[in-house]
């Protein structure tokens, strides 16, 4: 429909899916404005777009899974389904769903019925379509499927309930369910967005392999260009309900034609920065010639542009020392300075029993020692369960260590009085992950932002609220509005404003951009970097995504199973990770294939 | 799982014990001398003192409590100072009547409420769904005694199909028992059905938004099939909670319906004894009701762990 060049699908086979002029309407207006797309058997097509672009609802329309409030028009044919899919009844389509075409949804934590065993949930897909004769053969097939999606110990997983499995394992189960009947078409809607980086890499491999083995047509939906580039042969870029660009992955990524695609590519590339060392955002991205895309040099902007405050040599596991890792102080302050945060042998054991070991407890942190110097921007990286959030809670005095000690700004958190802790909390501010749920929906922005202030007059509070809102780039008219009237990125700005109003010395950011779109992510990262300089903040930036931390931080702590395994300057750590776990993290971080602007990190997989 | 049930039973027993202490203390500070109540206002001081000694009222509170609780454990609720009849026998027969009434009423309520609530949820945007929802609102507003009076007027007075009131024990003929039971049970059940169907509706609406229902549809189930296979059991959990709460309320709340249908149940016994200042009987009745409510909670808790595998580990 637009003037973009459309890569013709291979003509050899009839397409598995043929979409013509698909339109989706809501009561408030049209969400998808007529898209065309073909997918041939065995072809892997990526559908890229930000939230609200219409990519997910377009895929739901293919299977008749649209919400009741939405209606679809146009012509959609799926090989094996008679007639236009959009005209089929729910019962006709349900005969095709799960057999001819399957879907894997984004959120593995909620996609499974919590009351049913895994085996029953997978088996019913086959029993429903009678692709297995009886329960016993269904059970055999379930175990085989679980082995194919590489879950450890398929027997145990088959008998488990969903809550007994990790997010990655649940997503594998969902994939096994989707592939149980060898469908001709598999739709994956952001299948790895909720997963850790290393798990994401494994799940992507599984999807790619299984689809290739079965010659399944794949429609892979994601906002993450790097992920799409690792899976898809062909990509379509959606914006505001239009496909704005469409072609072979290599062509689109290496030589994007549409300005939006260029901007999206630039914003996704956390190695790229403009002349002032800032990440490229969708607004600031140049849309002239692709060759001018920034950051093509070998230089690492995060190291080059801003002064590295803690210029001390960061220690690595010293092979000569030979002691246990817990005896080592990571990221130590130079001997002539007093660290702002000083933790020694910090442990946190959660009481309770797990798996029959009564009274042993769960180790959140195991004897961790580290320093943070004033003004340092320290990234803390690890997967879920690595102890990084436990560490955050202890530093912010929201939780207490069960052993070891920590000093923040000279105050011993283990012995501090209530009054001292209250003063400390004004010095330590936290920005949380989810901007949707961390703001009280019934409070006005002015009240939310000024809430942490104590003992400050009304006039001064109002003045300071306006000041921090301006600092995060929001106007005065934001003051009287409620959180739901803002987008995700704006809400995260409000959270940052709230954190800054007490003029803290330490800002803790807990995955502050992992819930945000690519384009917004770059803006918020820039903002955090700018404000850290402007407000002389010491920054602790927690993330599972090395690419994100890399731009903002001078030095990194890498955590695994409650221990710090490595700490060094950001650039060094990337160039040559020493610990096996760090190397895994670096290589699992998806990189933009084909894109010319990318400095490839780690091994290209 | 067995361990967790064992612990719940322990908590239950402990709570019953604490409840007995509170009930005993509360009723011992209520004004009114049981000896005076037994002998009347004309009794001489000597007679009163003798009566007190006979009733054990001159003992310390601790001894009185131990007497009472020891009797309860042996099934002896004591002898009423007012009627001189043993309390236990009457209590037991009244409790039996009310239990039958309440359990049948709850069964009727659930039989009506579950399908009604599900349909109201599934068809919430169609006229019939809205109508069902509105009807259940009206149902909540109708008091049980009014429903009872209407039923009597139509089925007993006008149509003469069923007796207007009274009770028949099963040994007097099962048909007669059922005939006497039908109207009060329906009166009780209808009102409860209205309340519970609201909870069923909102619970089903919540479950319909769950991702796993979408997954089920993705597997090839139609929307109704997905709801039946994956939704209803999940939706049952909050309904279980409210049903337990309502059941506890009904034990005494049934007194209104008992009055309308002239049935001698537990609630009417409590009213009579309280009016006669027969505190020992009141004490016994309250103790029985509290124990029954705690028992209902225990059963609901155990049912949770049966329905929801997540609770099996969380509680062990």
């Amino acid at each position: 429909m637009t003037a973009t060049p459309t890569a013709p699908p291979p003509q050899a086979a009839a397409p598995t899916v043929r979409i013509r002029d698909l339109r989706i309407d809501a009561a408030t207006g049209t969400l998808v404005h007529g898209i065309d797309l073909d997918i041939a058997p065995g072809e892997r097509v990526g559908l890229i777009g930000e939230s609200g672009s219409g990519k997910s609802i377009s895929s739901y329309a293919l299977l008749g899974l649209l919400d009741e409030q939405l209606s679809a028009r146009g012509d959609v044919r799926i090989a094996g389904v008679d007639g236009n899919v959009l005209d089929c009844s729910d019962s006709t389509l349900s005969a095709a769903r799960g057999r001819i075409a399957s879907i894997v949804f984004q959120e593995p934590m909620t996609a499974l019925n919590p009351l049913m065993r895994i085996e029953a949930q997978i088996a019913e897909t086959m029993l429903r379509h009678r692709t297995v004769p009886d329960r016993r053969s269904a059970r055999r097939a379930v175990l085989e499927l679980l082995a194919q999606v590489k879950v450890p110990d398929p027997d145990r997983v088959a008998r488990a309930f969903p809550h007994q499995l990790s997010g990655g394992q649940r997503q594998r189960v969902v994939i096994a369910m989707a592939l149980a009947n060898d469908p001709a078409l598999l739709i994956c809607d952001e299948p790895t967005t909720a997963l850790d980086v290393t798990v994401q890499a494994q799940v992507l491999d599984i999807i790619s392999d299984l689809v290739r083995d079965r010659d399944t047509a794949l429609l892979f939906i994601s906002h993450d260009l790097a992920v799409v580039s690792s899976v898809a042969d062909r990509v379509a870029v959606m914006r505001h309900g239009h496909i704005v660009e469409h072609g072979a992955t290599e062509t689109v990524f290496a030589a994007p034609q549409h300005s939006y695609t260029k901007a999206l590519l630039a914003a996704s590339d956390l190695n790229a920065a403009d002349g002032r060392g800032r990440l490229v955002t969708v607004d600031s991205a140049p849309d002239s010639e692709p060759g001018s895309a920034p950051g093509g040099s070998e230089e690492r902007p995060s190291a080059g542009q801003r002064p590295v405050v803690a210029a001390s040599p960061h220690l690595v596991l010293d092979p000569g020392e030979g002691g246990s890792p817990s005896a080592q102080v990571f990221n130590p302050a130079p001997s002539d300075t007093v660290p702002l945060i000083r933790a020694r042998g910090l442990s946190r054991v959660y009481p309770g029993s797990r798996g029959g070991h009564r009274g042993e407890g769960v180790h959140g942190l195991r004897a961790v020692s580290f320093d943070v110097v004033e003004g340092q921007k320290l990234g803390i990286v690890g997967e879920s369960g690595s102890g990084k959030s436990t560490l955050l809670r202890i530093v912010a005095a929201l939780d207490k260590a069960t052993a070891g000690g920590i000093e923040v700004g000279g105050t011993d958190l283990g012995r501090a009085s209530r009054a001292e802790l209250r003063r400390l909390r004004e010095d330590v501010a936290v920005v949380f992950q989810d901007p949707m749920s961390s703001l009280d929906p019934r409070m006005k922005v002015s009240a939310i932002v000024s809430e942490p202030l104590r003992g400050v007059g009304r006039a001064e509070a109002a003045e300071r609220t306006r000041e921090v809102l301006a600092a995060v780039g929001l106007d005065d008219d934001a003051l009287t509005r409620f959180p739901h009237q803002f987008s995700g990125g704006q809400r995260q700005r409000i959270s940052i404003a709230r954190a800054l109003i007490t003029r803290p010395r330490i800002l803790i950011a807990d995955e502050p951009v992992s819930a945000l779109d690519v384009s917004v992510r770059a803006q918020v990262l820039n903002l955090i970097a700018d404000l850290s300089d402007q407000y002389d903040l010491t920054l602790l930036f927690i993330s599972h995504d090395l690419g994100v931390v890399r731009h903002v931080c001078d030095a990194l702590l890498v955590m695994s199973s409650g221990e710090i395994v490595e700490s060094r300057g950001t650039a060094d750590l990337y160039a040559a990770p020493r610990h096996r776990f760090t190397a895994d993290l670096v290589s699992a971080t998806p990189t933009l294939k084909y894109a010319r602007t990318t400095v490839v990190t780690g091994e290209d997989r | 799982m067995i361990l967790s049930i064992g612990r719940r039973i322990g908590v239950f027993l402990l709570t019953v014990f604490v409840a007995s202490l509170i009930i005993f203390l509360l009723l011992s500070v209520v004004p009114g001398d049981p000896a005076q109540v037994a002998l009347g206002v004309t009794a001489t001081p000597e007679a009163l003192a003798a009566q007190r000694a006979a009733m054990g009222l001159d003992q310390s509170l601790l001894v009185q409590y131990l007497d009472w609780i020891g009797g309860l454990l042996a099934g002896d609720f004591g002898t009423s100072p007012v009627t001189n009849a043993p309390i236990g026998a009457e209590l037991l027969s009244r409790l039996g009547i009310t239990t039958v009434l309440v359990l049948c009423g709850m069964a009727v309520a659930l039989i009506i409420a579950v399908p009604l609530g599900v349909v109201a949820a599934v068809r919430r945007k169609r006229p019939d769904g809205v109508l069902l929802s509105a009807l259940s609102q009206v149902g909540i507003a109708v008091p049980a005694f009014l429903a009872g009076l209407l039923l009597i007027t139509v089925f007993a007075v006008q149509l003469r199909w069923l007796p207007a009131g009274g009770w028949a024990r099963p040994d007097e003929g099962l048909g007669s028992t059922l005939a006497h039971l039908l109207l009060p049970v329906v009166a009780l059940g209808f009102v409860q059905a209205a309340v519970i169907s609201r909870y069923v509706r909102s619970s089903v609406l919540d479950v319909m938004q769950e991702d796993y229902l979408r997954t089920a549809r993705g597997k090839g189930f139609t929307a109704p099939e997905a709801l039946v296979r994956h939704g209803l059991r999940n939706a049952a959990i909050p309904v279980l909670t409210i049903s337990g709460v309502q059941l506890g309320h009904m034990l005494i709340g049934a007194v209104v319906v008992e009055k309308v249908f002239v049935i001698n149940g537990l609630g009417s016994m409590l009213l009579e004894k309280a009016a006669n200042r027969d505190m020992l009987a009141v004490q016994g009745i309250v103790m029985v009701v509290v124990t029954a409510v705690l028992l209902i909670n225990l059963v609901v808790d155990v049912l949770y762990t049966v329905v929801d595998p997540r609770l099996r580990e969380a509680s062990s």
Side-chain angles (χ1 to χ4, degrees):
Chain A
M1 40 136 288
T2 47
T4 51
T6 301
Q11 295 301 313
T16 307
V17 194
R18 182 172 166 279
I19 303 169
R20 287 293 176 274
D21 199 27
L22 173 65
R23 289 166 190 276
I24 299 176
D25 300 302
T28 50
T30 304
L31 302 177
V32 175
H33 302 267
I35 60 171
D36 299 335
L37 193 68
D38 287 352
I39 309 176
E43 203 184 10
R44 298 178 291 171
V45 176
L47 190 57
I48 298 168
E50 299 185 71
S51 48
S53 61
K55 58 190 194 308
S56 290
I57 53 170
S58 299
S59 72
Y60 297 170
L62 303 188
L63 300 179
L65 291 176
L66 276 181
D67 276 353
E68 289 167 20
Q69 299 93 320
L70 304 177
S71 64
R73 293 174 286 147
D75 190 63
V76 174
R77 309 277 164 170
I78 296 178
V81 182
D82 287 339
N84 184 353
V85 165
L86 302 179
D87 298 334
C88 287
S89 67
D90 189 29
S91 58
T92 314
L93 269 184
S94 64
R97 278 198 305 263
R99 191 167 63 86
I100 297 173
S102 291
I103 184 161
V104 172
F105 294 105
Q106 171 172 0
E107 192 38 82
M109 301 313 272
T110 53
L112 297 170
N113 184 346
L115 308 184
M116 250 169 111
R117 288 183 198 277
I118 298 299
E119 181 188 334
Q121 300 199 42
I122 301 179
E124 73 173 1
T125 314
M126 294 176 274
L127 295 168
R128 162 73 179 86
H129 296 287
R130 303 214 172 80
T131 50
V132 288
D134 54 42
R135 289 198 170 270
R136 189 180 305 168
S137 38
R139 180 177 161 75
R140 252 198 320 270
V142 166
L143 293 177
E144 203 175 296
L145 280 163
L146 286 173
Q148 283 175 8
V149 294
K150 301 189 177 125
V151 293
D153 199 353
D155 259 322
R156 184 188 66 85
V157 171
R159 267 180 282 115
F161 286 101
H163 70 274
Q164 295 164 324
L165 305 179
S166 69
Q169 287 174 336
R170 291 189 212 191
Q171 197 62 303
R172 286 165 209 238
V173 168
V174 174
I175 292 168
M177 251 156 42
L179 291 174
N181 295 322
D182 264 329
L185 169 69
L186 177 67
I187 298 172
C188 290
D189 183 14
E190 305 262 10
T192 59
T193 306
L195 303 178
D196 273 330
V197 189
T198 47
V199 180
Q200 162 168 291
Q202 296 159 3
V203 170
L204 287 177
D205 279 350
I206 289 168
I207 293 175
S208 296
D209 291 350
L210 292 179
V211 163
R212 189 178 300 123
D213 295 348
R214 292 157 194 244
D215 216 21
T216 311
L218 175 69
L219 179 61
F220 192 97
I221 298 163
S222 182
H223 71 282
D224 189 330
L225 278 73
V227 166
V228 172
S229 73
S230 72
V231 172
D233 320 319
R234 189 151 60 85
V235 292
V237 181
M238 262 189 104
R239 186 187 205 190
H240 302 326
H242 297 280
I243 290 183
V244 296
E245 185 153 4
H246 185 187
T249 310
E250 194 170 346
T251 320
V252 172
F253 277 40
Q257 299 298 309
H258 194 277
S259 58
Y260 177 68
T261 316
K262 291 176 195 169
L264 210 54
L265 274 166
S268 310
D269 191 352
L270 290 169
N271 301 319
D274 63 15
R276 289 175 299 140
R278 295 164 55 84
L279 290 171
V280 181
T281 63
V282 166
D283 296 336
S284 70
D287 41 2
S288 48
E289 18 158 6
S292 74
S297 67
E298 304 301 302
E299 182 193 19
R300 295 185 192 284
S302 61
Q305 300 295 329
R306 268 174 293 103
V308 179
V309 180
S312 62
H314 296 290
L315 244 155
V316 218
L317 280 170
D318 182 357
E321 211 166 70
S324 71
S326 58
Q328 191 195 346
V329 176
F330 286 93
N331 191 36
S335 50
D336 55 334
T337 51
V338 179
L340 185 60
I341 301 173
R342 184 170 181 279
R344 291 294 177 271
L346 210 57
S347 295
R348 178 71 172 93
V349 181
Y350 294 102
S353 59
R354 270 233 160 144
H357 303 291
R358 291 204 107 222
E360 193 187 280
V362 180
H363 290 265
L365 278 182
R366 295 166 195 267
V368 164
S369 302
F370 64 95
D371 290 339
V372 183
V373 201
E374 175 121 44
Q376 195 171 27
K377 295 182 180 62
L378 182 68
I380 301 176
V381 190
E383 306 194 293
S384 46
S386 61
K388 55 191 197 303
S389 297
T390 308
L391 188 63
L392 170 158
R393 292 177 56 80
I394 292 175
V395 174
L398 297 169
D399 193 4
K400 285 201 169 185
T402 45
I406 178 166
E407 282 175 20
V408 177
T411 310
D412 183 342
L413 294 190
R415 291 197 202 99
S417 66
R418 270 163 188 257
E420 281 175 317
L421 283 180
R422 196 177 309 136
R423 229 171 303 135
L424 188 90
R425 289 204 182 99
E426 298 203 341
D427 269 350
V428 183
V430 188
V431 174
F432 292 101
Q433 171 172 7
D434 190 346
M436 298 298 170
S437 59
S438 61
L439 302 176
D440 186 332
R442 285 176 188 80
M443 274 169 85
K444 284 182 183 164
V445 168
S446 57
I448 290 173
V449 173
S450 63
E451 199 183 15
L453 284 180
R454 283 161 180 271
V456 172
R458 240 164 211 265
E460 198 199 332
E463 180 52 41
R464 278 169 71 173
T465 307
R466 263 195 294 279
E467 184 193 309
V468 285
L469 278 180
V472 299
L474 291 174
D475 294 337
D476 278 3
D477 45 320
L479 285 168
T480 53
R481 290 156 72 192
F482 289 95
H484 71 266
Q485 295 168 299
F486 295 88
S487 68
Q490 287 171 322
R491 286 191 222 200
Q492 204 55 301
R493 284 170 193 265
I494 295 169
S495 298
I496 295 170
R498 173 173 62 176
L500 291 180
I501 196 155
T502 56
R503 295 176 186 150
R505 296 164 72 193
I506 301 171
L507 180 67
I508 302 179
D510 184 12
E511 305 261 12
V513 295
S514 62
L516 302 180
D517 268 327
V518 180
S519 56
V520 185
R521 179 178 76 179
Q523 292 170 8
V524 172
L525 286 176
N526 279 338
L527 181 70
I528 291 177
D530 290 351
L531 291 173
S532 310
D533 290 341
Q534 201 179 323
Y535 283 72
D536 291 326
L537 293 171
T538 303
L539 182 68
L540 293 190
F541 193 109
I542 290 164
S543 180
H544 68 281
D545 187 340
L546 271 174
V548 166
V549 183
R550 179 180 191 184
H551 172 71
V552 183
C553 300
D554 318 319
L556 298 181
L557 293 182
V558 182
M559 294 192 69
S560 175
S561 322
E563 291 176 7
I564 298 174
V565 297
E566 184 163 2
S567 93
R568 262 189 301 162
T570 311
D572 285 355
L573 191 129
Y574 267 92
R578 299 204 186 157
H579 194 275
R580 184 186 52 78
F581 178 75
T582 317
D584 283 352
L585 264 188
V586 170
S587 71
T589 303
T591 52
L592 281 171
K593 275 191 191 168
Y594 315 117
R596 283 200 245 155
T597 55
T598 307
V599 180
V600 177
T601 57
E603 282 169 45
D604 200 340
R605 299 155 40 87
Chain B
M1 184 170 173
I2 288 166
L3 189 80
S4 89
I5 292 175
R7 199 167 58 192
R8 279 171 206 281
I9 291 173
V11 171
F12 162 76
L13 292 176
L14 192 71
T15 320
V16 170
F17 166 67
V18 173
S20 73
L21 274 179
I22 294 173
I23 291 166
F24 177 80
L25 286 174
L26 273 181
L27 289 174
S28 69
V29 300
V30 172
D33 181 351
Q36 187 96 60
V37 172
L39 298 180
V41 285
T42 56
T44 61
E46 294 77 27
L48 273 179
Q51 178 70 22
R52 280 211 191 90
M55 292 170 78
L57 292 174
D58 53 348
Q59 308 273 3
S60 72
L61 271 183
L62 181 67
V63 174
Q64 289 186 44
Y65 172 76
L66 289 178
D67 272 355
W68 177 60
I69 205 76
L72 284 196
L73 287 177
D76 176 14
F77 283 77
T79 307
S80 164
V82 180
T83 58
N84 273 324
I87 298 169
E90 188 184 3
L91 189 57
L92 207 64
S93 85
R94 298 279 192 123
L95 179 66
I97 292 173
T98 296
T99 305
V100 170
L101 200 60
V102 164
L103 287 183
C104 292
M106 186 46 96
V108 168
L110 286 175
I111 289 168
I112 299 172
V114 171
L116 212 69
V118 172
V119 171
V122 172
R123 304 183 67 90
R124 71 194 175 286
K125 286 190 181 145
R126 314 254 172 104
D128 47 350
V130 174
L131 183 73
L132 282 179
S133 180
L135 275 180
S136 69
Q137 294 276 37
V138 173
I140 293 172
V142 174
F145 76 86
L146 188 61
L149 287 178
L150 286 173
L151 287 172
I152 291 173
T153 313
V154 174
F155 294 99
V157 179
Q158 310 241 314
L159 297 173
R160 294 178 178 280
W161 287 352
L162 293 164
W167 187 256
R169 296 218 313 277
D171 49 328
E172 295 166 33
L174 201 62
S176 168
T177 306
L178 287 179
H180 281 94
L181 197 59
L182 198 57
L183 287 185
V185 160
V186 168
L188 207 56
F190 261 45
V191 177
Q192 291 304 322
V195 176
I196 294 172
S197 76
R198 304 290 306 170
Y199 284 89
V200 173
R201 177 176 179 272
S202 80
S203 179
V204 170
L205 280 180
D206 284 347
V207 163
M208 282 165 64
Q209 300 301 316
E210 292 286 352
D211 286 352
Y212 51 79
L213 274 208
R214 197 174 56 176
T215 308
R217 294 193 62 201
K219 288 180 192 176
F221 294 108
T222 60
E225 284 168 349
L227 183 64
V228 170
R229 290 185 68 96
H230 291 274
L232 292 187
R233 204 166 139 210
N234 278 288
I237 296 171
V239 174
L240 197 59
T241 311
I242 191 66
S243 300
V245 172
Q246 293 296 106
L247 204 56
H249 277 305
M250 282 164 77
L251 274 179
I252 290 299
V255 65
V256 181
V257 168
E258 288 169 5
K259 282 278 169 202
V260 171
F261 288 96
V262 205
I263 296 171
N264 291 324
L266 199 61
S268 32
M269 181 176 173
L270 181 62
L271 280 184
E272 288 159 25
K273 301 299 179 191
N276 295 341
R277 298 200 152 271
D278 188 346
M279 285 306 153
L280 191 61
V282 169
Q283 206 167 299
I285 296 169
V286 174
M287 192 62 219
V288 164
V289 170
V290 166
T291 309
V293 168
L294 290 172
L295 201 62
I296 291 168
N297 285 344
L298 177 68
V299 170
V300 168
D301 274 355
V302 170
L303 283 179
Y304 280 150
T305 54
V306 171
V307 174
D308 193 338
R310 287 165 295 188
L311 293 175
R312 283 173 215 163
E313 280 141 57
S315 58
S316 69

